[in-house]
Amino acid sequence: QPNYRLNANKDTITLERLREADLCIISGPREKFSGAEFEAMKSYLHEGGSLLVTLGEGGEGAFGTNINYLLEEFGIACNTDAVVRTVYYKYTHPKEVHIQGGVLNREIEAAAGKAPASTGSAPAITESARAASLAFAYPYGASLSVQKPAFAALSSGMLAVPLGRPVCALWDGHARAPGMQSGRLCVLGSSYVLHDEWLDKDDNAKLVDVLVRWLTHADGIR
């Protein structure tokens, strides 16, 4: 497993500060970002940096943030809804959703060690594809709206409403020069998935590990 060094930023987001990290995580933001901060994050992505953004039920309105302004430029937006299960299974609250069949790319399953990669080489998580069999817990989350150039990686499945809607989306930029890595963006509609309480539920730890490895270009995951 790769080793990560974590630093917390409590100051204004600047390009110089972002450049210190391979991956910047913005989890459940509760304030509005300035235009200068958005420009810094866009430049960081286009220079080859990676961003992981998480929100929750109610979307940016419930969180008092304006992060969709940035996300929409890359084809993603967090909706103002809540994902709710239609049948009781495993978890007590209807917004604590067990999702089976919600993984939209078999290479995610391969990268998690659940199945061989379809190409026989390093997994390429580059677009939505046929559903895989990993299960994950999705607590107190919202659905996403996704359009190209982004693509959905996880959905709400067939036993939750809204039905079959994206809950995790990815964007992969293009390297500006030979030898440079591409910037990558991952948006997850539930911040709770990253919490200690939920990381060990179902296959959440495996999924988060794959997403972080994809964002950091680890293990050759494309």
Side-chain angles (χ1 to χ4, degrees):
Q1 295 294 324
N3 294 316
Y4 301 107
R5 181 168 56 87
L6 304 178
N7 287 314
N9 179 58
K10 298 182 180 179
D11 301 319
T12 300
I13 295 174
T14 64
L15 182 56
E16 290 70 26
R17 182 66 170 142
L18 291 171
R19 283 172 174 164
E20 297 175 9
D22 295 317
L23 170 62
C24 175
I25 300 175
I26 301 174
S27 183
R30 293 285 182 176
E31 297 180 356
K32 294 184 183 296
F33 296 93
S34 68
E37 288 177 312
F38 283 136
E39 287 301 317
M41 287 186 274
K42 284 193 292 184
S43 296
Y44 175 67
L45 285 169
H46 289 306
E47 286 184 3
S50 293
L51 283 178
L52 169 59
V53 179
T54 69
L55 274 172
E57 60 174 313
E60 65 172 13
F63 282 72
T65 187
N66 57 348
I67 191 66
N68 272 349
Y69 181 83
L70 171 71
L71 304 182
E72 286 168 354
E73 293 202 23
F74 298 91
I76 308 170
C78 187
N79 297 323
T80 58
D81 59 8
V83 176
V84 181
R85 66 160 185 258
T86 57
V87 296
Y88 173 79
Y89 185 73
K90 294 190 74 168
Y91 307 119
T92 57
H93 197 287
K95 292 180 182 178
E96 297 172 352
V97 185
H98 169 86
I99 298 178
Q100 182 77 44
V103 179
L104 299 178
N105 189 300
R106 287 194 179 277
E107 305 305 336
I108 293 177
E109 189 177 52
K114 285 279 190 176
S118 59
T119 60
S121 58
I125 304 170
T126 55
E127 60 183 13
S128 298
R130 189 171 50 177
S133 61
L134 284 172
F136 61 96
Y138 192 75
Y140 307 101
S143 70
L144 306 177
S145 294
V146 183
Q147 61 184 14
K148 291 183 177 181
F151 58 94
L154 305 175
S155 85
S156 58
M158 303 305 291
L159 295 177
V161 291
L163 186 71
R165 293 291 300 165
V167 295
C168 177
L170 308 177
W171 171 88
D172 190 0
H174 299 286
R176 291 193 166 188
M180 286 185 62
Q181 64 184 25
S182 61
R184 289 178 171 177
L185 169 66
C186 173
V187 181
L188 185 61
S190 168
S191 297
Y192 280 95
V193 172
L194 303 183
H195 288 199
D196 289 342
E197 178 186 357
W198 290 96
L199 200 56
D200 292 330
K201 305 293 187 185
D202 296 316
D203 291 314
N204 282 15
K206 289 184 174 67
L207 283 174
V208 171
D209 176 65
V210 169
L211 292 174
V212 171
R213 285 159 55 204
W214 179 79
L215 285 163
T216 56
H217 300 263
D219 303 327
I221 296 179
R222 296 173 283 117

